[in-house]
Amino acid sequence: MNGYDEADVVVVGAGPAGSSIGHYLAQSGHRVVVLEKGTFPRDKICGDGLTPRAVAELIRMGVPTREEDGWIRNYGLRTSGAGHRIEIPWPELTTMPSYGLARSRMNLDATLAAHAKASGADIREGMSVTGAVRDERTGRIVGVNAKPVDARGRRTGDDVEIRARIVVDAGGVAARLATSAGIEKNVRRPMGVAVRTYFRSPRHDDPMMESFLELWDGKPGESNLQPGYGWIFALGDGTVNVGLGTLSPNAKPTGLDYRGLFAQWMKNVPEEWEFTPANQIGRLGSAALPMAFNRKPLYKDGLLLIGDAGGMVSPFNGEGIAYALQSGRIAADTIGQALARTSDYERVKVLRSYATTMRDDLGGYFTLGRGFAHLISSPKIMRACVRYGLPRPVLMRFVMKLLADAYDPHDGDWMDRVIAALAKAAPAA
Ligand SMILES: Cc1cc2nc3c(=O)[nH]c(=O)nc-3n(C[C@H](O)[C@H](O)[C@H](O)COP(=O)(O)OP(=O)(O)OC[C@H]3O[C@@H](n4cnc5c(N)ncnc54)[C@H](O)[C@@H]3O)c2cc1C
């Protein structure tokens, strides 16, 4: 043991959630240490797509997203299925811009971590958190133990103990610290599994995000439809991110052969993308997407959960970056308020309100998403929705707003008002 260090807040993980909370806490003058087991730039299996909701969070953080800095904008979604193809622009809203972005996670996460560092966060790379430190008397979590590691995860030195007034798990889907603290995942909430790789492509600067709502296990129309959807997100640097995702409404393994399905899909994708083996860069990697608050409570015994650690991926579209950034921002605000209180009782009361705020913001919307997950897990229903829905532009505009969480809750159009009313009426659990 190398002795111990102290901070106001210690955060596990410097993904989007960890960098967001690091930035906001440091900006408001708190001493925040963020421990990241990787070393930037490091990869993360992801689709690399940022919807307008995520872009709005980047703007709030003050992250420059100019095109001259290598950010590529997209202006909507092109969707195909059941013989139809439709392009829907991102809506014009007051709460978010009418464009999305795409950037490899190799690049995005390093940029966000550097931004948090510039704001004053103490980001320590190559530090793997191994467990929580608890107060012997109260049982409250008062810090973490961590070991220094190299890029391959091998120990490079002695353990350190870092004590803090508040501990945050932003460690992604594994949520190692939360799990060790007894906060288990709820297997009745939806869970996604997705695979992705990169290709060089002449369409690397396509201005639309592309999605395919039909995945066949053989020739289109002559084989079986599989649950899930495929995406192509142009990165503007000569490459595109290509992946497919499936959704299980109750976290049960789908038993799908993802690699086989991906290989088949590549045969069915239009040739102009040039997805040949020679153009593929890197391996096909897979990872899980924890959805609809599948790990709760979001605050317990001095520990807050943000981002994937709290299961904040949307069941509607597999998007998690926007919610990781948002939860980091809200948790930082709550922690700032809590640290200014004069008694433990008050501090705990304020920290608990983080869970309530998140539930009020997203609980109803995620409940709708859980219903959606049940519905589309049947390929037959999914196909009926695609066949009936895609040719109807007004309906599709509504669906896009719903699926991308891109609506104005207060002063939007009739579609926004319907979605806001549905999200409010759905029980937030
Ligand atoms: C295939 C796939 C495609 C996806 N596509 C999209 C998409 O296009 N758009 C979108 O918005 N979302 C997408 N998602 C979801 C998105 O990747 C996550 O929701 C997002 O990364 C969550 O951010 P986070 O900061 O909570 O966690 P993460 O990004 O997972 O970051 C967690 C960090 O914690 C570190 N860490 C973990 N354990 C420890 C430890 N013990 N000690 C120290 N550090 C630790 C990790 O190294 C990592 O850097 C996709 C997910 C998958 C799997």
Side-chain angles (χ1 to χ4, degrees):
M1 188 77 67
N2 252 349
Y4 76 74
D5 203 348
E6 293 208 342
D8 290 325
V9 183
V10 62
V11 180
V12 184
S19 289
S20 164
I21 195 168
H23 158 77
Y24 284 110
L25 282 170
Q27 209 183 35
S28 49
H30 298 291
R31 186 166 171 224
V32 52
V33 175
V34 185
L35 302 171
E36 168 55 52
K37 66 180 178 185
T39 309
F40 294 111
R42 60 103 183 88
D43 198 11
K44 151 84 178 90
I45 295 169
C46 185
D48 304 337
L50 297 161
T51 63
R53 173 166 288 274
V55 181
E57 291 293 345
L58 293 179
I59 294 168
R60 269 190 201 101
M61 280 176 77
V63 177
T65 57
R66 293 171 306 219
E67 287 177 290
E68 52 270 35
D69 295 329
W71 294 82
I72 176 165
R73 292 184 181 178
N74 54 68
Y75 295 93
L77 191 65
R78 187 182 303 119
T79 304
S80 24
H84 306 291
R85 193 176 158 91
I86 180 170
E87 282 191 5
I88 318 158
W90 292 117
E92 282 178 16
L93 302 170
T94 54
T95 46
M96 55 194 86
S98 55
Y99 60 87
L101 295 166
R103 196 169 180 98
S104 75
R105 289 294 295 272
M106 185 80 98
N107 208 307
L108 176 75
D109 290 21
T111 303
L112 295 181
H115 188 73
K117 204 170 190 170
S119 304
D122 181 357
I123 309 256
R124 300 186 193 167
E125 299 173 42
M127 291 298 290
S128 177
V129 172
T130 51
V133 177
R134 286 190 186 259
D135 181 279
E136 275 178 21
R137 194 175 54 83
T138 61
R140 213 180 116 92
I141 294 172
V142 290
V144 297
N145 288 313
K147 62 174 181 187
V149 291
D150 65 14
R152 294 170 70 184
R154 292 173 305 201
R155 177 190 286 278
T156 56
D158 293 338
D159 277 11
V160 288
E161 179 179 305
I162 300 173
R163 293 203 166 223
R165 296 171 74 188
I166 293 162
V167 179
V168 176
D169 191 346
V173 61
R176 184 168 171 177
L177 196 66
T179 310
S180 75
I183 308 179
E184 299 288 341
K185 66 172 185 262
N186 179 349
V187 290
R188 290 199 302 276
R189 295 280 155 114
M191 184 73 116
V193 175
V195 294
R196 75 94 174 90
T197 186
Y198 294 94
F199 284 92
R200 278 182 286 272
S201 172
R203 294 183 63 183
H204 71 101
D205 54 0
D206 196 299
M208 303 297 267
M209 284 179 150
E210 180 100 26
S211 70
F212 294 80
L213 300 183
E214 283 184 334
L215 297 173
W216 298 90
D217 61 7
K219 273 196 163 177
E222 295 172 21
S223 56
N224 300 311
L225 265 181
Q226 298 297 320
Y229 81 105
W231 72 79
I232 304 173
F233 297 158
L235 294 172
D237 60 354
T239 69
V240 295
N241 180 314
V242 188
L244 65 84
T246 59
L247 188 56
S248 163
N250 47 17
K252 280 202 188 114
T254 57
L256 273 180
D257 166 17
Y258 294 96
R259 285 170 192 279
L261 194 56
F262 188 86
Q264 183 56 50
W265 178 45
M266 286 301 94
K267 289 184 193 152
N268 298 341
V269 169
E271 274 176 17
E272 73 248 25
W273 287 100
E274 297 187 9
F275 293 160
T276 60
N279 278 339
Q280 185 173 348
I281 314 164
R283 66 191 179 98
L284 182 69
S286 72
L289 296 92
M291 297 173 161
F293 293 140
N294 81 336
R295 197 183 292 273
K296 286 202 296 192
L298 296 180
Y299 172 75
K300 189 184 170 195
D301 297 341
L303 177 68
L304 279 93
L305 315 189
I306 61 176
D308 276 13
M312 297 187 198
V313 174
S314 165
F316 280 117
N317 65 354
E319 171 180 18
I321 298 171
Y323 305 109
L325 297 173
Q326 176 186 349
S327 58
R329 168 170 59 81
I330 292 173
D333 183 48
T334 314
I335 289 171
Q337 295 296 333
L339 288 175
R341 300 301 163 101
T342 49
S343 72
D344 260 353
Y345 171 77
E346 273 188 286
R347 267 192 290 278
V348 169
K349 208 169 152 192
V350 174
L351 289 172
R352 281 208 185 107
S353 74
Y354 161 68
T356 318
T357 309
M358 291 308 297
R359 192 192 61 206
D360 289 352
D361 268 21
L362 295 172
Y365 180 72
F366 281 171
T367 300
L368 294 177
R370 283 158 56 199
F372 172 82
H374 273 282
L375 204 66
I376 64 144
S377 61
S378 152
K380 265 191 190 154
I381 297 183
M382 169 97 175
R383 181 150 172 81
C385 294
V386 171
R387 182 177 279 164
Y388 173 79
L390 275 197
R392 291 172 170 75
V394 176
L395 178 65
M396 286 313 292
R397 270 191 19 243
F398 178 85
V399 170
M400 187 221 222
K401 282 182 170 217
L402 176 67
L403 266 52
D405 201 355
Y407 64 96
D408 274 336
H410 302 299
D411 54 358
D413 61 13
W414 68 267
M415 294 188 191
D416 298 2
R417 288 196 294 277
V418 171
I419 297 170
L422 287 172
K424 205 167 166 197

